[in-house]
Amino acid sequence: MGFPPKWCKWVMGILESARASVLVNGAPTFEFKCNKGLRQGDPISPFLFIVAMEALSSMLRKGCDSGVLDGIELPNNGLRISHLFYADDALIIGKWSRTNIMNVVRILRCFFVCSRLKINIGKSNLYGARVTSLEVVEVAEAVGCLADSLPFKYLGLTVGANMNRICNWRPVYDLFKKRFS
């Protein structure tokens, strides 16, 4: 990403010097060297996470540019979307095809090899729009993730519901009402 070597050495120094101890009945045990990652609460942690997610974002973008992934194109010659990130959450979006989904899994494996940050596929969900639930289940089993159906909640908002219906706005209305009171 173009960071100068001196800066990279500083970050590696932080990562390699991490030491911790465990509190047992309120008393710290002996210190031990952390083999992976940072100390909990380290101020550089969010920044390094963003750098890592930028790498994943670049891999997904390159996959779309090379034709390996097929994202969703918004109407009226709009943007092509392949992924959305929020904090430590990722939403990968694309046209439904077994090849497209398997290529996403391959990119996630490459990301793991490069970063040593493993995506827990077993905790991931696969959704399909305008496909049968049987198709979703079959592909989810092949990938090793969970099959789910629309609509679903993402960051507190309902995705995949008809938002022209008043009843689908009820949770948003209730949340605002609760916060204002």
Side-chain angles (χ1 to χ4, degrees):
M1 294 181 73
F3 293 110
K6 188 174 188 176
W7 185 87
C8 293
K9 285 181 183 177
W10 289 344
V11 171
M12 282 309 295
I14 292 169
L15 295 174
E16 291 170 349
S17 70
R19 300 187 67 72
S21 65
V22 179
L23 290 177
V24 178
N25 296 328
T29 62
F30 61 92
E31 271 194 5
F32 56 91
K33 191 174 191 300
C34 300
N35 292 330
K36 289 184 181 178
L38 298 167
R39 291 172 287 265
Q40 188 173 354
D42 196 307
I44 199 168
S45 182
F47 175 73
L48 290 180
F49 185 79
I50 290 169
V51 170
M53 290 300 99
E54 180 61 30
L56 177 57
S57 180
S58 296
M59 292 172 84
L60 292 167
R61 197 174 320 112
K62 188 170 258 185
C64 285
D65 293 345
S66 67
V68 171
L69 290 181
D70 200 5
I72 300 293
E73 189 173 324
L74 296 178
N76 302 324
N77 294 324
L79 294 172
R80 182 169 292 277
I81 299 175
S82 63
H83 59 283
L84 300 169
F85 292 154
Y86 181 78
D88 64 346
D89 221 5
L91 187 63
I92 301 174
I93 307 163
K95 291 189 178 172
W96 182 267
S97 80
R98 190 178 189 106
T99 304
N100 204 31
I101 295 165
M102 295 310 287
N103 285 337
V104 167
V105 173
R106 288 180 186 106
I107 289 172
L108 293 176
R109 284 187 186 137
C110 290
F111 175 71
F112 167 66
V113 169
C114 294
S115 68
R116 306 309 293 170
L117 295 173
K118 188 170 185 176
I119 310 298
N120 190 340
I121 299 287
K123 284 185 172 179
S124 300
N125 292 354
L126 181 67
Y127 300 92
R130 298 190 184 111
V131 295
T132 66
S133 58
L134 182 63
E135 284 180 89
V136 176
V137 169
E138 286 175 1
V139 176
E141 285 176 356
V143 169
C145 67
L146 305 171
D148 211 343
S149 61
L150 298 174
F152 65 94
K153 287 230 184 243
Y154 179 70
L155 303 175
L157 298 174
T158 304
V159 176
N162 181 354
M163 297 313 285
N164 290 328
R165 299 185 65 197
I166 292 172
C167 65
N168 290 329
W169 284 98
R170 175 53 84 194
V172 176
Y173 173 81
D174 291 343
L175 179 70
F176 273 90
K177 187 177 178 183
K178 180 182 169 186
R179 296 244 171 112
F180 283 138
S181 64

